[in-house]
Amino acid sequence: MRHRVPHGIGRFVAQAVLVARVYVGYKLIQLAHRLGDRKTAARLERHHRRSAVAVRRLAVRLEALPIKVCQFLGSRADILPEAYVEVLSTLQDRVPPRPLATLLPLVRAELGRAPEEAFATLDERPIASASLAQVHRGRLRDGRDVAVKIQYPDVARLIDLDLRNFAFLVRVLAWLEPELDFHVLIAEVERYVPLELDFVHEARSATRMRESLAGRADVVVPRIVPELSTRRVLVMEYVDGVRITDVDAIRALGVDPADVARRLIDVFCEQVLVHGFFHADPHPGNVLVQPGPRLVLLDFGLAKELPPDFRAGIARLTGAILSGDRAAVAAAFRALGFRTRENSDESLWWLGEAFLGWAVRNRRSYADREMVARLGADMPRIMRANPVVQVPSDVLLVGRVLGLLSGVGKQLGAHVALVATLLPYLAAAQRAPAGAPPGSGSGTAPSIASGAGAGGDEAMPSGAGAARR
């Protein structure tokens, strides 16, 4: 029997108690370390795992936004302790599902007809279930195999409650730990999560991405069935594949995980720097791998169109970071919309190091805990001296994608030559006239996948990850 999802004050109390337990546990370990406890490392590891299990258990109980947050955290193998990644990553596409019967009234209301009139078959057992919806495999009356994503009926109300609760808890943590500022994260969640509740928006984004990447033989984007798609029900062709972080399954396909990592970075460089439109939620549940290899991109609820001058701005910033020119890095950040309290370059230079510089100079394809530790030793002092007071939301979203890709790269055990991958796209973006439409004229760049693999039309239709939310 399915548990009853807490609402109102019960929901807030459960979240607040968990935050307090985890926070106090870490503070006690810090205190023990200062007092000379030599078993701090073992205590810390136990607390990581206990905390991760507690977070996962509460997320499953509360559903909605807590699961969404766990999906993001579970993909950050580059910077989070292994226990958190191992425990929370199980929620990326394996959230406890709801019985199909509880969702069919919503399907009937959205489609304006009985589900059996639209579908010849609709499997009772979901093929994926996550924070906002679950997906069932089905077959249309004309014989097409499809994936049917169905939004949970009460999820919008739960999201609204969670946003208010999280905002309050973040304010409390900011008061307790002034050096930790999560306000930017909350602002990002408030801005973008509502978009993921609108499947009409997602259908448009998926179609646009399919058209943008149509020239790549190594990328598959499922085709939408528009006549059966509404704000809370989304129907698309069914496409199969293995999870991008399942290294053993990828090797069983005869595919090199390092090749997958290179193609993943390449396709996102193309999205951001050529088309100016990118998938902003590439956690491991949203990317599958087929023989070839081909990447299957799923779940376009969070897709972002960048301003016309953004590509050139990012190209200038990346070029400045790679050259090690502090003044140029700061100028490029300011041109993108960053502002600091004082007119000093130091804080912006350190942001550039965190964004890309350290990883490139140390020949890393992803951030890691060593990088975080080294930057973290000086960053708080520098940021206190001249804090960043304005950060453009577009850069935040690109940074979030880089974080997700960084985590995937770490799990694949791959070291991508970032500079070699970036340079053709940066050159193309810098050549593009100011304000030119993304992907036009000199804005295109060759990809590493040109002519690779079989044509995308040969891919099996899939939904195994089509609703990874």
Side-chain angles (χ1 to χ4, degrees):
M1 184 175 179
R2 186 177 175 79
H3 68 267
R4 185 173 180 272
V5 178
H7 295 105
I9 189 66
R11 196 173 182 86
F12 170 75
V13 169
Q15 293 166 348
V17 167
L18 177 63
V19 169
R21 281 177 53 198
V22 173
Y23 175 76
V24 170
Y26 282 117
K27 297 305 287 186
L28 289 175
I29 292 171
Q30 286 179 5
L31 178 61
H33 180 69
R34 289 171 187 155
L35 294 175
D37 186 349
R38 296 184 177 181
K39 297 181 179 179
T40 300
R43 294 181 191 276
L44 192 60
E45 181 60 33
R46 286 196 298 271
H47 190 59
H48 287 331
R49 186 160 296 277
R50 282 197 302 264
S51 298
V53 170
V55 168
R56 184 193 186 282
R57 185 184 301 120
L58 183 64
V60 170
R61 180 178 165 221
L62 298 184
E63 302 180 341
L65 193 58
I67 289 178
K68 193 75 181 170
V69 172
C70 286
Q71 289 174 341
F72 173 66
L73 296 176
S75 68
R76 295 309 310 269
D78 49 335
I79 58 174
L80 285 181
E82 183 179 346
Y84 279 94
V85 176
E86 179 184 329
V87 173
L88 299 184
S89 63
T90 62
L91 290 177
Q92 283 161 352
D93 58 356
R94 293 189 291 276
V95 175
R98 302 190 185 189
L100 178 61
T102 65
L103 304 179
L104 289 180
L106 183 144
V107 175
R108 178 188 292 269
E110 290 290 304
L111 300 184
R113 59 180 130 162
E116 55 268 24
E117 295 178 20
F119 305 102
T121 62
L122 192 58
D123 292 353
E124 289 277 343
R125 187 182 183 89
I127 52 177
S129 54
S131 57
L132 308 184
Q134 64 189 44
V135 76
H136 293 257
R137 185 171 182 175
R139 180 166 293 166
L140 300 183
R141 291 289 176 183
D142 62 10
R144 283 180 288 170
D145 287 330
V146 293
V148 183
K149 180 190 286 190
I150 309 169
Q151 190 175 119
Y152 300 133
D154 54 352
V155 73
R157 183 162 62 92
L158 295 180
I159 290 285
D160 181 62
L161 283 171
D162 289 336
L163 286 174
R164 283 182 278 154
N165 292 346
F166 285 9
F168 175 80
L169 294 172
V170 162
R171 286 196 297 270
V172 173
L173 284 175
W175 177 72
L176 291 170
E177 301 285 340
E179 293 181 359
L180 300 177
D181 185 2
F182 295 102
H183 289 92
V184 170
L185 174 62
I186 289 296
E188 178 188 350
V189 171
E190 289 174 338
R191 178 188 298 266
Y192 293 112
V193 168
L195 291 178
E196 298 189 66
L197 296 171
D198 183 357
F199 290 176
V200 173
H201 167 79
E202 178 176 348
R204 286 196 297 264
S205 296
T207 299
R208 178 173 175 184
M209 187 63 69
R210 181 179 172 85
E211 293 169 352
S212 295
L213 301 177
R216 296 189 66 123
D218 63 339
V219 177
V220 177
V221 177
R223 184 180 284 103
I224 300 298
V225 181
E227 64 272 20
L228 292 176
S229 296
T230 70
R231 189 175 180 277
R232 296 193 292 172
V233 173
L234 183 62
V235 181
M236 69 211 80
E237 62 179 337
Y238 176 83
V239 182
D240 207 357
V242 303
R243 187 186 181 87
I244 193 167
T245 51
D246 190 340
V247 176
D248 291 338
I250 289 173
R251 290 197 174 108
L253 295 176
V255 171
D256 180 2
D259 189 15
V260 171
R262 286 191 295 270
R263 289 171 189 274
L264 184 67
I265 295 295
D266 185 76
V267 74
F268 275 87
C269 284
E270 179 176 337
Q271 289 175 48
V272 172
L273 293 171
V274 176
H275 304 295
F277 179 71
F278 66 101
H279 189 313
D281 193 22
H283 69 69
N286 287 341
V287 185
L288 306 179
V289 179
Q290 295 180 338
R294 288 189 295 267
L295 302 178
V296 181
L297 302 184
L298 305 165
D299 194 343
F300 293 89
L302 189 52
K304 174 66 177 174
E305 180 168 13
L306 297 168
D309 295 332
F310 184 86
R311 290 179 302 142
I314 284 290
R316 284 193 297 272
L317 172 63
T318 306
I321 291 172
L322 295 180
S323 70
D325 186 332
R326 293 191 177 217
V329 168
F333 268 122
R334 292 190 183 102
L336 285 169
F338 283 79
R339 297 291 180 267
T340 53
R341 188 176 63 194
E342 299 173 7
N343 190 27
S344 164
D345 295 346
E346 190 71 3
S347 294
L348 296 177
W349 161 256
W350 275 95
L351 277 184
E353 288 296 284
F355 182 68
L356 183 64
W358 192 93
V360 169
R361 269 184 276 287
N362 288 274
R363 297 184 179 181
R364 305 290 177 88
S365 59
Y366 45 77
D368 57 18
R369 285 188 284 277
E370 179 188 351
M371 185 199 90
V372 172
R374 291 190 60 178
L375 293 177
D378 292 319
M379 183 81 80
R381 172 183 56 80
I382 293 167
M383 290 301 173
R384 279 198 302 270
N386 185 25
V388 177
V389 297
Q390 181 177 322
V391 180
S393 61
D394 297 318
V395 176
L396 282 177
L397 209 52
V398 171
R400 179 178 185 272
V401 168
L402 287 175
L404 288 168
L405 296 180
S406 176
V408 172
K410 174 72 179 293
Q411 289 175 280
L412 288 171
H415 294 273
V416 179
L418 281 177
V419 175
T421 304
L422 281 168
L423 283 179
Y425 293 106
L426 294 174
Q430 288 177 318
R431 288 196 305 269
S440 64
S442 59
T444 48
S447 78
I448 63 169
S450 243
D457 289 339
E458 293 179 8
M460 287 291 294
S462 164
R468 309 282 191 184
R469 287 210 290 249

